[in-house]
């Protein structure tokens, strides 16, 4: 089974090709360019390097949200366009789940933190039994105080990762009552390889959709929608 993984949900843009248990190629960039500038050129470069015929892939896996509204729209449009052109199914993997899957096999709790602004985070809580991931708290948009309170209740060591770590590091130091660590640089941000690997498990379980059916999962209103609601406009 050959899977194309895409992630543009946050600051990182990432593309990966996974075939069964082998990573054939991965291209990940964390730099100040828009994903509309990087995602397709990265895919083209990976395809050239591994001599990939895109028609040979079995499915397209996308980190479907939450995350940056613009990034999610770019990723969704890319996945839908490829899915329609190639007539391939889409596998929508929750962004926070895929981020946690970077640490598959980890012995303690795993808590991804994505910066959602306004002192909020896109987060969840996970543990692993070998390669099997258990979702202890489904991905959600909450205040950093709420997720740290939940982490403390489990009374187990925890590893934090994601672009929210530098934002909330001081709060964690002051309020996390369990032993904690931060994931190292090579696994602390979104990676399409993790998206593809988790998506392959979903695909085997029959969890897919058509390109026409796919849409991002934002979890909360956009800034424009919030301002309109706060202003009392319809």
């Amino acid at each position: 089974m050959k899977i194309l993984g895409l992630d543009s949900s946050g600051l990182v843009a990432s593309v990966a090709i996974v075939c069964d248990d082998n990573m054939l190629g991965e291209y990940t960039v964390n730099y100040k360019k828009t994903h509309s500038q990087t995602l397709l050129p990265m895919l083209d470069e990976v395809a050239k390097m591994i001599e990939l015929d895109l028609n040979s892939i079995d499915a397209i896996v996308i980190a479907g949200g939450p995350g940056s509204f613009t990034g999610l729209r770019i990723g969704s449009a890319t996945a839908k366009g490829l899915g329609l052109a190639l007539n391939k199914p889409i596998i929508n993997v929750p962004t926070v789940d895929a981020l946690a899957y970077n640490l598959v096999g980890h012995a303690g709790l795993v808590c991804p933190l994505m910066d959602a602004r306004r002192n909020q985070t896109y987060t969840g809580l996970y543990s692993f039994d070998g390669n099997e991931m258990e979702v202890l708290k489904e991905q959600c948009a909450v205040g950093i105080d709420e997720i740290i309170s939940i982490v403390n209740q489990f009374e187990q060591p925890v590893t934090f990762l994601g672009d929210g770590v530098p934002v909330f590091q001081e709060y964690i130091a002051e309020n996390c009552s369990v032993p904690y660590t931060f994931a190292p640089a090579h696994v602390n941000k979104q990676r399409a390889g993790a998206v593809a690997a988790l998506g392959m498990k979903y695909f085997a379980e029959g969890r897919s959709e058509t390109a026409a059916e796919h849409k991002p999962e934002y979890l909360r209103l956009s800034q424009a929608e919030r301002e309109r609601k706060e202003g009392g406009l319809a």
Side-chain angles (χ1 to χ4, degrees):
M1 184 184 299
K2 192 178 293 182
I3 296 288
L4 165 63
L6 302 170
D7 195 331
S8 60
S9 60
L11 300 175
V12 172
S14 189
V15 174
I17 304 293
V18 173
C19 184
D20 297 325
D21 292 327
N22 296 310
M23 173 86 75
L24 300 183
E26 184 179 41
Y27 194 155
T28 299
V29 173
N30 182 12
Y31 193 67
K32 51 188 177 183
K33 288 187 176 181
T34 64
H35 297 324
S36 59
Q37 293 177 288
T38 57
L39 206 57
L40 283 175
M42 288 163 58
L43 173 56
D44 183 58
E45 188 67 24
V46 170
K48 288 177 181 176
M49 290 293 290
I50 64 173
E51 300 179 347
L52 174 70
D53 177 1
L54 283 174
N55 287 291
S56 70
I57 65 174
D58 295 290
I60 300 162
V61 187
I62 180 72
S68 156
F69 282 65
T70 300
L72 290 176
R73 290 183 182 118
I74 291 169
S76 176
T78 301
K80 287 170 74 74
L82 289 170
L84 289 169
L86 301 171
N87 192 28
K88 303 295 181 181
I90 304 292
I91 304 164
N92 186 344
V93 171
T95 300
V96 181
D97 290 18
L99 189 51
Y101 206 67
N102 280 355
L103 300 184
V104 61
H106 185 69
L109 300 178
V110 174
C111 184
L113 297 172
M114 296 175 64
D115 182 17
R117 309 296 174 88
R118 295 188 168 194
N119 218 36
Q120 286 208 324
T121 176
Y122 298 124
T123 186
L125 194 60
Y126 306 83
S127 65
F128 291 94
D129 181 5
N131 290 339
E132 295 301 315
M133 184 168 73
E134 182 180 359
V135 180
L136 304 176
K137 171 68 176 176
E138 289 188 356
Q139 67 172 23
C140 54
V142 298
I144 184 62
D145 57 335
E146 183 173 337
I147 189 62
I148 295 303
S149 175
I150 292 171
V151 167
N152 289 340
Q153 290 171 22
F154 277 85
E155 299 182 341
Q156 298 179 42
V158 60
T159 297
F160 296 101
L161 71 161
D163 61 35
V165 166
V167 178
F168 302 117
Q169 193 164 352
E170 184 176 340
Y171 185 91
I172 292 169
E174 294 175 353
N175 295 277
C176 190
S177 62
V178 300
Y180 66 87
T181 55
F182 301 117
H186 64 294
V187 289
N188 70 3
K189 302 290 193 304
Q190 285 91 336
R191 288 187 60 179
V195 173
L198 187 54
M200 188 172 291
K201 294 173 69 71
Y202 287 3
F203 192 42
E205 296 167 2
R207 298 167 62 177
S208 65
E209 58 191 358
T210 66
E213 291 171 331
H214 173 69
K215 59 182 180 180
E217 299 174 8
Y218 297 113
L219 286 192
R220 69 176 195 176
L221 299 176
S222 68
Q223 181 177 344
E225 290 170 323
R226 290 197 306 269
E227 290 174 353
R228 187 164 58 246
K229 187 175 181 180
E230 289 166 1
L233 299 178

